[in-house]
């Protein structure tokens, strides 16, 4: 448990650093906004010259109270850790000092970095508060993807920002938000995704024994009956990773070349050694 807390804490710190770099080196220097609390942070800086770290800390502190009501305490604790470190890194001087007249570049680069940062923080079981708190709630209670829910809430802040940053930069902000959502959804789906493998064979016992030796994890046998032949036989059902699928299919073919194998994407799994897909 201690190792998990340390790992998550370090992962969140790395995500917070990348998040701050996206803001201080790509968004703010090029007058590009954001969504949610981060969008309000940039607007506060552009319009009133309020330090971004201060706005981030105060507004997210308020939203954390909402998190206490709807999210588990572990997520809230990690989120507070993320907000603290984002505020710390936002207070530091610019890291890259990057400037360009090609404004589409910082919009795309900022979106990619935002997506990576939020993925790291989500993998560390936290959030960056703001719209991610609302996205977590939508994911938990309505099954909406985190990136999609965040994009929806972020647009509510990004579109009105046209009054402060102008039409062109507002459009760049929407591009940045879209890129961020795509990157976040892609990373969450690619890293940590699970597969469900169903195997139907006349040599169930032999295949199960081989799979148990190779995988060292639980394997489920489901009673089934074929309609055409009215023959009863168990089906093998396994939740595994993409890497394990690449091992399972050749092994099954070796034991029984006529085996019927079905591989499905799994949207959510929960268990002692498997992570919930966000």
């Amino acid at each position: 448990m201690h190792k998990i807390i340390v790992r998550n804490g370090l992962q969140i710190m790395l995500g917070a650093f990348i998040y701050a770099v996206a803001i201080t080196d790509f968004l703010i220097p090029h007058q590009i906004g954001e969504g949610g609390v981060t969008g309000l942070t940039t607007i506060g800086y552009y319009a009133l010259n309020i330090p971004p770290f201060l706005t981030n800390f105060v507004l997210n502190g308020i939203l954390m109270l909402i998190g206490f009501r709807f999210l588990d305490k572990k997520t809230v604790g990690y989120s507070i850790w993320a907000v603290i470190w984002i505020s710390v890194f936002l207070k530091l001087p610019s890291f890259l000092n990057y400037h360009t007249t090609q404004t589409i570049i910082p919009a795309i680069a900022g979106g990619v970095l935002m997506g990576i940062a939020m993925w790291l923080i989500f993998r560390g079981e936290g959030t960056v508060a703001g719209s991610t708190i609302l996205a977590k709630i939508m994911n938990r209670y309505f099954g909406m993807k985190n990136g999609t829910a965040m994009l929806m809430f972020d647009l509510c802040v990004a579109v009105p920002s046209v009054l402060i940053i102008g039409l062109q930069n507002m459009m760049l902000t929407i591009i940045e938000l879209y890129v961020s959502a795509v990157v976040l959804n892609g990373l969450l789906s690619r890293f940590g995704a699970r597969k469900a493998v169903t195997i139907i064979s006349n040599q169930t016992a032999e295949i199960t024994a081989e799979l148990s030796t190779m995988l060292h994890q639980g394997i489920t046998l489901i009673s089934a009956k074929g309609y055409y032949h009215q023959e009863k036989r168990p089906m093998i059902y396994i939740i595994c990773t993409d890497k394990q699928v690449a091992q399972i299919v050749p092994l099954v073919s070796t034991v029984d070349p006529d085996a019927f194998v079905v591989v499905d994407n799994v949207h959510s799994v929960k268990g002692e050694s498997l992570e919930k897909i966000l």
Side-chain angles (χ1 to χ4, degrees):
M1 179 62 70
H2 180 69
K3 290 183 179 179
I4 294 176
I5 293 174
V6 172
R7 183 195 66 193
N8 287 346
L10 293 175
Q11 192 164 246
I12 288 172
M13 288 176 65
L14 176 60
F17 175 73
I18 296 174
Y19 193 90
V21 169
I23 295 172
T24 58
D25 286 281
F26 291 95
L27 302 187
I28 287 181
H30 302 93
Q31 291 282 300
I32 299 173
E34 240 289 335
V37 167
T38 306
L40 296 175
T41 296
T42 56
I43 290 173
Y45 179 76
Y46 298 146
L48 304 172
N49 204 32
I50 301 174
F53 79 91
L54 182 60
T55 310
N56 176 77
F57 188 78
V58 173
L59 294 182
N60 278 323
I62 295 172
L63 283 173
M64 292 308 299
L65 297 176
I66 299 176
F68 270 105
R69 173 65 178 83
F70 292 99
L71 300 176
D72 62 272
K73 300 303 181 287
K74 181 174 67 174
T75 299
V76 173
Y78 282 128
S79 298
I80 292 173
W81 181 250
V83 169
I84 290 172
W85 280 104
I86 289 173
S87 299
V88 169
F89 290 132
L90 284 175
K91 189 172 174 55
L92 297 178
S94 178
F95 182 71
L96 298 176
N97 291 314
Y98 175 75
H99 294 278
T100 178
T101 57
Q102 302 296 322
T103 50
I104 190 66
I105 296 176
I108 294 176
V112 171
L113 290 177
M114 281 288 191
I116 294 172
M118 287 185 289
W119 170 69
L120 286 169
I121 292 171
F122 281 6
R123 291 279 290 176
E125 301 185 55
T127 72
V128 293
S131 58
T132 58
I133 288 285
L134 302 176
K136 280 275 190 179
I137 293 171
M138 294 296 290
N139 173 258
R140 178 172 178 177
Y141 292 100
F142 300 100
M144 185 180 292
K145 287 185 177 181
N146 278 294
T148 304
M150 287 178 58
L151 179 60
M152 179 181 70
F153 290 121
D154 286 345
L155 287 175
C156 294
V157 173
V159 173
S161 69
V162 66
L163 300 174
I164 303 296
I165 61 178
L167 180 61
Q168 176 177 296
N169 284 1
M170 186 271 284
M171 296 298 292
L172 289 170
T173 299
I174 292 176
I175 292 173
E176 183 269 327
L177 289 172
Y178 176 76
V179 171
S180 175
V182 169
V183 170
L184 176 59
N185 282 337
L187 289 172
L188 288 173
S189 298
R190 179 65 183 87
F191 297 95
R194 296 293 186 269
K195 302 290 186 181
V197 180
T198 304
I199 304 167
I200 302 174
S201 170
N202 290 321
Q203 302 180 49
T204 302
E206 293 85 348
I207 292 175
T208 305
E210 292 288 340
L211 290 175
S212 180
T213 300
M214 180 181 71
L215 299 177
H216 303 289
Q217 71 173 55
I219 298 174
T220 302
L221 296 178
I222 303 173
S223 296
K225 181 180 180 181
Y227 177 79
Y228 186 77
H229 294 289
Q230 295 293 302
E231 181 181 357
K232 293 183 178 181
R233 70 178 63 165
M235 294 191 309
I236 303 170
Y237 185 78
I238 309 168
I239 299 295
C240 60
T241 64
D242 286 335
K243 181 179 179 180
Q244 289 173 322
V245 170
Q247 298 173 315
I248 290 171
V249 174
L251 185 149
V252 172
S253 298
T254 300
V255 178
D256 181 7
D258 297 322
F260 185 67
V261 181
V262 179
V263 180
D264 293 309
N265 291 319
V266 175
H267 295 289
S268 181
V269 292
K270 187 175 182 181
E272 186 175 337
S273 61
L274 297 177
E275 298 168 349
K276 180 181 179 183
I277 305 302
L278 296 173

